[in-house]
Amino acid sequence: MADWSQLPRDLLHSIAKRLETRIDLLRLRSICSSWRSSISLPPKQHRHTPIPTTDDSKFTHSLDLSEHTLYLIESQQQGSPPKRWLVKVFQDQHGRMHLLDPLSRSKVVGFDNLLLDLREFKVFELCQEHVLHRTATYGVHEPWRSRPVVEVDKVALMCVGPENNDFALVTPHRDGGGLAFFNSRIQQWITIGSHPATSSCTAVTHFKGKFYAVDTKGRTISIDQFLDSKVVTNLGSDAFMKYLVEAGGELLVVEAYLPFPNAEGFISSESYKGLCIDYFEVSKLNKEGDKWVKVNSLGDWVLFLGVYSSFSVLASELPGCKGNCIVVTQPRWKEFNLDGHDTYVVELESGRSGPLENYPDFSKLLFPGDMGTSSA
């Protein structure tokens, strides 16, 4: 039998170069001590990055870019069937790992300073989520009333440059509409406002080397890192919410419709209970990248629609879960203030839906109460 620990170093380096994610490199290094000493730790990019404020910002003091990583984790304990969980992990500026709700930014209690032994768990990286923390002060003309607050914006980010050492991002512009574009190499913000889709943007993402933004009316635009843009056929809808998510190598737009017209004010009050969405419609971007095409079924895919990002997983990878479903989170209000989030499961084929606790397999997947061996 071959001794894998004696694999030539140049061959190990060749294997490492073909791995796309940081977690795969860490798993490769965990095989044995000789491999660990031969393969360098992968760099930590964009995890906690301060960036300059926009030139026209009136209230913003500082901007800080944070990276969250979504993983599918499987236990490998002998003598028991494998268990799987979806987790979102955030590493703070001190190197501590924190477990977050996969569909929001809420911390999962009891998992601070998270540690995972890669000999006991299989870890698969699904995607990365990036958010912009904005420290701002309002009431600047009345200093005795002003106080700094931290706001969080969704962003779409992609690596650019010859070695992917730089990044570009887009985010809905708080200070006057449009989209804000930032390139780390030139350290400059640019406001994009030449198309209606950038004036009331509700979702942004990156897909195959381009940014995509969709507005409240379904107008969509794609933008590359050089700011060349392309218009996608207008969806022509006034859905309450729109989400952009990749599934199976295709870009989907998910439209969420309210149960009755002008329901926004009612569902933003604590008197409204239950899922506020009446139904969803899903479309996919065609191969030419200029038209949305209606999708009748997601097949084996499950879409997870979160506050700051959305992602997809095959149901066959999720024990006990069925495909053609959407898992969505929505705000919970108390005295007109945000009081957390509630999660619901929607079965697209039957139209049935319910709170997460009514779907135990999904509930166990999202809230890893029995991952005790992984925390420290």
Side-chain angles (χ1 to χ4, degrees), residues 68-72 85-89 99-108 126-127 129 304-311 313 327 329 343 356 362-368:
H68 308 152
T69 306
L70 282 138
Y71 297 106
L72 179 61
W85 304 274
L86 283 172
V87 301
K88 184 191 292 184
V89 176
L99 201 64
L100 308 178
D101 176 355
L103 298 179
S104 71
R105 292 180 54 253
S106 303
K107 284 189 177 182
V108 179
L126 298 176
C127 62
E129 168 189 274
F304 294 85
L305 310 181
V307 178
Y308 299 103
S309 66
S310 301
F311 60 97
V313 185
V327 182
T329 190
T343 302
L356 184 64
F362 278 110
S363 183
K364 293 175 186 176
L365 181 74
L366 290 172
F367 292 95

Side-chain angles (χ1 to χ4, degrees), residues 13-31:
H13 289 172
S14 179
I15 295 171
K17 288 180 180 178
R18 286 167 168 77
L19 299 179
E20 297 181 353
T21 66
R22 174 180 170 83
I23 194 66
D24 285 340
L25 283 170
L26 292 175
R27 290 171 64 191
L28 184 67
R29 294 179 80 251
S30 70
I31 298 297

Side-chain angles (χ1 to χ4, degrees), residues 12 18 117 183 193 222 241 258 260 294 299 307 360 363 372:
L12 270 177
R18 286 167 168 77
D117 189 336
N183 188 307
S222 67
M241 285 291 293
L258 294 176
F260 54 89
K294 283 284 189 284
V307 178
S363 183

Side-chain angles (χ1 to χ4, degrees), residues 32-91:
C32 61
S33 59
S34 63
W35 288 22
R36 194 155 45 248
S37 62
S38 299
I39 303 171
S40 301
L41 271 172
K44 300 176 182 179
Q45 293 182 329
H46 322 315
R47 291 195 181 276
H48 194 84
T49 308
I51 58 180
T53 59
T54 55
D55 293 335
D56 58 347
S57 176
K58 299 176 182 178
F59 308 109
T60 301
H61 294 313
S62 65
L63 294 171
D64 190 81
L65 178 68
S66 293
E67 177 184 284
H68 308 152
T69 306
L70 282 138
Y71 297 106
L72 179 61
I73 296 179
E74 179 183 301
S75 65
Q76 298 190 97
Q77 297 177 350
Q78 294 184 349
S80 61
K83 300 177 182 179
R84 289 193 170 188
W85 304 274
L86 283 172
V87 301
K88 184 191 292 184
V89 176
F90 166 61
Q91 183 176 1

Side-chain angles (χ1 to χ4, degrees), residues 54-337:
T54 55
D55 293 335
D56 58 347
S57 176
K58 299 176 182 178
F59 308 109
T60 301
H61 294 313
S62 65
L63 294 171
D64 190 81
L65 178 68
S66 293
E67 177 184 284
H68 308 152
T69 306
L70 282 138
Y71 297 106
L72 179 61
I73 296 179
E74 179 183 301
S75 65
Q76 298 190 97
Q77 297 177 350
Q78 294 184 349
S80 61
K83 300 177 182 179
R84 289 193 170 188
W85 304 274
L86 283 172
V87 301
K88 184 191 292 184
V89 176
F90 166 61
Q91 183 176 1
D92 63 26
Q93 60 266 49
H94 304 294
R96 294 188 295 261
M97 308 292 286
H98 304 276
L99 201 64
L100 308 178
D101 176 355
L103 298 179
S104 71
R105 292 180 54 253
S106 303
K107 284 189 177 182
V108 179
V109 178
F111 287 89
D112 280 344
N113 202 12
L114 177 73
L115 296 175
L116 284 177
D117 189 336
L118 295 180
R119 296 167 298 182
E120 296 182 8
F121 294 89
K122 288 182 179 179
V123 183
F124 307 93
E125 183 175 319
L126 298 176
C127 62
Q128 292 178 339
E129 168 189 274
H130 296 87
V131 294
L132 203 57
H133 300 263
R134 179 190 304 268
T135 303
T137 299
Y138 300 100
V140 292
H141 299 298
E142 299 174 318
W144 58 90
R145 291 185 178 180
S146 66
R147 60 184 179 87
V149 296
V150 178
E151 302 167 326
V152 182
D153 297 334
K154 65 177 72 175
V155 304
L157 179 146
M158 61 183 178
C159 296
V160 296
E163 301 295 330
N164 281 339
N165 292 327
D166 298 307
F167 65 90
L169 66 82
V170 295
T171 183
H173 204 312
R174 277 183 179 263
D175 299 328
L179 285 174
F181 174 90
F182 178 79
N183 188 307
S184 66
R185 183 170 54 84
I186 61 176
Q187 291 286 296
Q188 181 180 358
W189 284 96
I190 299 172
T191 298
I192 306 169
S194 59
H195 184 267
T198 66
S199 63
S200 55
C201 175
T202 185
V204 292
T205 193
H206 69 90
F207 176 72
K208 293 185 176 179
K210 292 183 178 181
F211 294 111
Y212 286 82
V214 61
D215 79 343
T216 53
K217 298 295 183 183
R219 296 170 293 197
T220 312
I221 188 172
S222 67
I223 306 164
D224 66 18
Q225 60 174 303
F226 306 107
L227 301 184
D228 291 330
S229 63
K230 181 178 181 180
V231 177
V232 181
T233 301
N234 189 354
L235 285 164
S237 72
D238 56 355
F240 171 61
M241 285 291 293
K242 293 179 176 65
Y243 304 85
L244 292 168
V245 56
E246 182 178 355
E250 295 185 308
L251 182 62
L252 306 179
V253 59
V254 183
E255 301 175 274
Y257 288 85
L258 294 176
F260 54 89
N262 303 315
E264 291 91 336
F266 179 58
I267 65 175
S268 296
S269 68
E270 60 182 305
S271 60
Y272 191 91
K273 306 296 181 184
L275 179 64
C276 69
I277 304 303
D278 186 31
Y279 66 95
F280 290 91
E281 287 187 351
V282 183
S283 302
K284 68 177 181 180
L285 189 67
N286 67 355
K287 292 182 179 179
E288 292 73 26
D290 59 3
K291 184 179 180 181
W292 292 112
V293 181
K294 283 284 189 284
V295 173
N296 295 321
S297 172
L298 297 175
D300 193 40
W301 288 99
V302 179
L303 304 184
F304 294 85
L305 310 181
V307 178
Y308 299 103
S309 66
S310 301
F311 60 97
S312 62
V313 185
L314 285 169
S316 55
E317 301 289 335
L318 310 175
C321 299
K322 61 187 299 185
N324 201 23
C325 287
I326 290 176
V327 182
V328 61
T329 190
Q330 71 178 34
R332 180 175 64 251
W333 301 94
K334 184 177 182 180
E335 298 179 356
F336 297 97
N337 293 312

